[in-house]
Amino acid sequence: MRIGIFGGTFDPVHNGHLEIAEKVEHWFSLDRVHFVPAVRSPHKAQPPEAAAWDRFAMLVLATRPYGRFYVSTVELERGGVSYTIDTIREFRRQMGTGDDLYFIMGADAFRTLTGWKEYEELLRLTNLIVVSRPGHVLNAEGLPEAFRPRVRILGPDHESTWEHGPYIYLCSGIHNETSATAIRAALRRGEMIAHLVPPDVATYIEKYRLYRDAVTI
Ligand code: ATP
């Protein structure tokens, strides 16, 4: 099987995340995409605003229409700061030997990769799919020389030779401006965000008054 892993805080999950997962699933013929909400990202100064179970619930609602999309509790069950290397090791432990992993991230996250815990080992254990994000440069310049031969730049048709990896795929076909930070800010200002998230997620945010004065009891 070809297994995609999409890590993030998903605070909240938005249409940009879904567009990425849909396109990557198609481009790479993935059998499954696992969305993996973090308890807390080591790369973000602030903890997530919504509780882990709210972010999990919103992901379940958002992925429900997609037969190949799953939500993983691996980081929530592990607790503490969520390091991707630990998650990749856990997936590899549970996978068959013939399965391939594809970790999905945006260009902004990729630029911080060399600061990630055991990133060299990470690149040994999984393929990486890096997608473009407006306002962020997509190239491999931040990577040490040793990893450059592993970079594959995919053209507009996203054709790739499926040699045995792991590789670092750079995909320029995403032009989605949506960000969770902007959604939270809009909600605080009392603005509508229904066009930025799936309908069930908008309803959930509204019902529980997330990112405003959350209903806690
Ligand atoms: P925040 O604004 O809170 O930082 P975010 O919108 O970046 O959130 P995350 O949950 O942090 O969402 O993102 C998970 C992954 O999805 C990251 O690798 C991020 O780069 C990527 N990503 C999120 N939104 C986009 C987008 N619009 N285009 C490309 N990549 C994106």
Side-chain angles (χ1 to χ4, degrees), residues 9-11 39 48-58 204 210-211:
T9 42
F10 302 109
D11 189 23
V39 173
E49 216 171 298
W53 45 88
D54 283 324
R55 295 182 287 114
F56 174 80
M58 289 188 281
Y204 187 96
L210 298 188
Y211 310 110

Side-chain angles (χ1 to χ4, degrees), residues 56-91:
F56 174 80
M58 289 188 281
L59 275 169
V60 171
L61 292 170
T63 54
R64 192 173 55 99
Y66 302 89
R68 294 181 197 270
F69 292 1
Y70 293 80
V71 189
S72 164
T73 56
V74 61
E75 294 189 352
L76 305 185
E77 289 178 79
R78 197 165 63 233
V81 175
S82 306
Y83 292 103
T84 299
I85 184 68
D86 300 334
T87 302
I88 295 295
R89 285 199 174 110
E90 183 57 30
F91 269 90

Side-chain angles (χ1 to χ4, degrees), residues 6-17 20 41 44 103-110 116 131-134 174-184:
F6 195 7
T9 42
F10 302 109
D11 189 23
V13 59
H14 55 64
N15 292 339
H17 296 128
I20 293 164
S41 164
K44 293 190 178 177
F103 187 80
I104 304 160
M105 64 168 69
D108 55 319
F110 184 56
W116 290 26
V131 300
S132 48
R133 184 166 193 176
I174 303 281
H175 311 283
N176 192 306
E177 307 256 352
T178 318
S179 92
T181 303
I183 290 172
R184 293 193 302 274

Side-chain angles (χ1 to χ4, degrees), residues 92-146:
R92 288 211 69 97
R93 210 175 56 75
Q94 294 185 22
M95 284 163 40
T97 43
D99 295 340
D100 283 323
L101 274 188
Y102 294 80
F103 187 80
I104 304 160
M105 64 168 69
D108 55 319
F110 184 56
R111 297 205 79 77
T112 69
L113 182 71
T114 54
W116 290 26
K117 181 182 169 192
E118 295 183 58
Y119 81 93
E120 291 167 320
E121 182 64 3
L122 187 73
L123 292 174
R124 203 180 65 74
L125 294 178
T126 179
N127 296 281
L128 214 62
I129 299 175
V130 187
V131 300
S132 48
R133 184 166 193 176
H136 299 273
V137 180
L138 178 65
N139 62 35
E141 276 171 21
L143 271 189
E145 206 58 57

